Amino acid sequence: MTRTPLIVRLAPWLFTLGFLLIWEFAVRGFKIPEFFLPAPTIVAKAFYDFWPAIVRNSWITLQETLVGFGLAVGFGLLLGLAIGWSRTIYAGLYPLMVGFNAIPKVALVPILVLWFGIGFLPAVLTAFLISFFPIVVNVATGLATIEPEMEDVLKALGASKLDIMRKVGIPRSLPYFFGSLKIAITLAFVGTVISESIASNNGIGNLMLQAQAQFQVPLIFAGLVALAIEGIAMYGLMAMLEKRMTGWAQRSGFAQN
Amino acid sequence: MEQGFIALDGVSHRYGGQTAGPDNIVAVADLTLSVNRGEFAAVVGPSGCGKSTLMKLVTGLQFPYAGSVAVAGQKVTQPVKIAGMAFQAPTLLPWRTTLENLLLPLEIVQPHRSQLRRRKAEYVARAERLLASVGLDGFGDKFPWQLSGGMQQRTSLCRALIHEPQLLMLDEPFGALDAFTREELWCVIRDLHATRKITIVLVTHDLREAVFLADRVFVMSARPGRILAERKIELPRPRDLDVTFAPEFQAIVHDLRAHIVSARQ
């Protein structure tokens, strides 16, 4: 493994800094009013001024997201294995799942509110509903792409379906699974914030809605920044997990520079 | 030499159902073939002639709708556990090291499966000996993707042999290799056959390969596959690669080639 060149390691910071600088100068140069698009420095000030509220609500959003995501991982894994296991289950469930996935989850929030009231639970469930699909599809794909020759080798030795699943299928679908976690965690945040901005008194989604009602535009943006930070942190965590668990699947030297 | 270690008698097989129809492919029809214990048999034929079906019938992955298949005197009604298999693709598991890949069959097949924990050291030693015998000593810790194509195929052969099968079924195992590596592996197989005295069935479309390695070559017809011709290869063993340039070797290859040409028409 060669050491990553300095420029590549610095690139994320440099690009982000460049983005913020362009934003700052564009807002100042074109004299864009603060209530339309606040400059990054103004957003930073709002972030500082409303720090306690942002921290409290971010924590709530994070909790809701993680519980929903956890449910999605458990349920998605089970369903993915079931679909990969049996062609009948696959044929039966697939249209249902595709149809379900096509429903905009925002349309489900009112129903969830009807059942569970407002607050924590609908946010968790929206996060869950929006993020389980990619996990199911990826786990099932991993299982479906077992080489038939590999299956023959093991079957000829008297391997049961469970043996093949344990020795080949599950390890094989792990890279797909961990890959899908990165997508799922991002979607889970989307779900939580949707639900919070419709039916909650807490969370970043609600905070932004309140800020909008009071025309505190810098605070809206501060909320976005808080979400972005949480999103990046969780994505990073998932990427790290993926690398640790399935290093064998990532050896391509593509796009090294 | 025990006669009829593998015996196929009037075997017909079709995919996609038992009744004839436009969707059903008759893979082999009225196939009769017999391989003796310890013999090296090669099956050659045009592509799509049902060679792979033959593999599946013998190893008990498929069952014929007519005729009978017997291995080691027993009618094949379930997967034949005394067989090892290797294919054109090495099909190694990328998350396992070479050594762990070799041990995979022992985790499946009885009685090794239930003795795995107890006899682990012995099995590892066996795997290492096997690797050494194909020129891969010291590569046990490497992952398959760190090996060249030829080395992966050697590993695949070792995996087929780890549970000490009486029968080795090879389905175009050298098809994806370059010419030099392929000839190298011919010698590996030749030596394995000589030292282990196992029965080998090699399915290939390379006539030189078949003639160099086999005691007997079967020529299959185009689909539905039947045995068109059977030819004993009486070249003395041990055979050296130089024999492939000898006139009598060439004559056999030409003769078989004529059969294949007629089979394609």
Side-chain angles (χ1 to χ4, degrees), chain A residues 147 149-159 163 166-168 171-172 247-248 251, chain B residues 56 61 79-81 85 87 91 93-96 104-105 107-109 113 145 159 163:
Chain A
E147 296 96 333
E149 287 91 356
M150 190 72 230
E151 239 182 300
D152 282 354
V153 166
L154 296 183
K155 268 191 200 157
L157 295 168
D163 287 334
R166 277 178 44 228
K167 301 285 180 194
V168 185
R172 207 193 136 72
W248 58 268
R251 48 182 193 272
Chain B
K56 292 189 181 199
L61 293 171
V80 174
K81 290 167 200 166
M85 293 169 104
F87 300 88
T91 61
L93 301 176
W95 55 89
R96 285 173 171 240
L104 178 66
E107 294 168 23
I108 303 286
V109 79
R113 183 183 188 141
W145 37 273
R159 185 184 60 194
H163 62 297

Side-chain angles (χ1 to χ4, degrees), chain A residues 78-115:
Chain A
L78 281 181
L79 204 60
L81 290 176
I83 285 181
W85 175 268
S86 145
R87 273 185 67 181
T88 313
I89 298 179
Y90 173 85
L93 279 184
Y94 217 72
L96 268 177
M97 287 211 334
V98 171
F100 184 79
N101 193 46
I103 299 172
K105 299 304 168 290
V106 61
L108 291 177
V109 178
I111 301 172
L112 293 175
V113 170
L114 195 69
W115 290 345

Side-chain angles (χ1 to χ4, degrees), chain B:
Chain B
M1 218 183 250
E2 180 186 330
Q3 298 282 311
F5 181 67
I6 302 172
L8 278 79
D9 190 17
V11 167
S12 298
H13 188 66
R14 74 162 62 98
Y15 291 102
Q18 297 300 299
T19 50
D23 297 336
N24 300 347
I25 301 158
V26 179
V28 296
D30 198 23
L31 184 76
T32 299
L33 165 160
S34 163
V35 178
N36 301 331
R37 186 186 283 272
E39 193 176 24
F40 197 135
V43 179
V44 296
S47 55
C49 70
K51 288 176 294 198
S52 297
T53 305
L54 178 70
M55 292 269 299
K56 292 189 181 199
L57 290 170
V58 172
T59 49
L61 293 171
Q62 300 268 343
F63 306 103
Y65 79 90
S68 75
V69 180
V71 172
Q74 292 211 309
K75 191 170 188 290
V76 174
T77 53
Q78 58 174 10
V80 174
K81 290 167 200 166
I82 57 163
M85 293 169 104
F87 300 88
Q88 180 167 351
T91 61
L92 301 171
L93 301 176
W95 55 89
R96 285 173 171 240
T97 62
T98 304
L99 192 74
E100 288 166 346
N101 263 293
L102 247 60
L103 294 176
L104 178 66
L106 299 180
E107 294 168 23
I108 303 286
V109 79
Q110 291 292 7
H112 305 292
R113 183 183 188 141
S114 35
Q115 301 171 350
L116 191 63
R117 209 161 294 203
R118 208 150 26 86
R119 297 173 60 186
K120 183 81 187 236
E122 178 191 334
Y123 287 151
V124 169
R126 187 198 286 183
E128 276 166 352
R129 272 200 308 279
L130 205 52
L131 280 175
S133 76
V134 298
L136 281 180
D137 30 348
F139 282 92
D141 297 336
K142 293 266 188 280
F143 285 93
W145 37 273
Q146 294 171 311
L147 305 179
S148 69
M151 289 157 106
Q152 290 183 26
Q153 202 53 267
R154 286 167 203 240
T155 308
S156 174
L157 283 174
C158 288
R159 185 184 60 194
L161 291 169
I162 188 77
H163 62 297
E164 300 185 332
Q166 300 173 44
L167 171 63
L168 184 59
M169 302 292 292
L170 304 172
D171 189 354
E172 296 187 19
F174 316 121
L177 301 174
D178 65 90
F180 295 111
T181 311
R182 193 180 309 159
E183 291 185 354
E184 237 170 75
L185 284 191
W186 288 358
C187 297
V188 168
I189 288 280
R190 173 197 65 193
D191 298 341
L192 284 173
H193 179 243
T195 51
R196 293 176 165 258
K197 317 257 182 259
I198 58 176
T199 313
I200 302 184
V201 176
L202 167 73
V203 165
T204 179
H205 50 227
D206 183 340
L207 294 176
R208 290 176 63 242
E209 178 172 303
V211 175
F212 176 69
L213 286 170
D215 298 311
R216 213 144 40 110
V217 177
F218 296 92
V219 180
M220 272 178 92
S221 68
R223 208 158 45 209
R226 284 173 296 110
I227 300 296
L228 276 185
E230 184 186 324
R231 165 101 201 216
K232 239 182 147 62
I233 311 295
E234 312 225 284
L235 300 168
R237 288 183 186 275
R239 293 174 196 162
D240 192 76
L241 273 177
D242 287 340
V243 78
T244 59
F245 300 101
E248 61 267 35
F249 183 94
Q250 305 281 352
I252 301 170
V253 171
H254 274 286
D255 181 39
L256 287 172
R257 208 182 116 73
H259 282 298
I260 299 275
V261 169
S262 69
R264 281 164 63 89
Q265 282 156 6

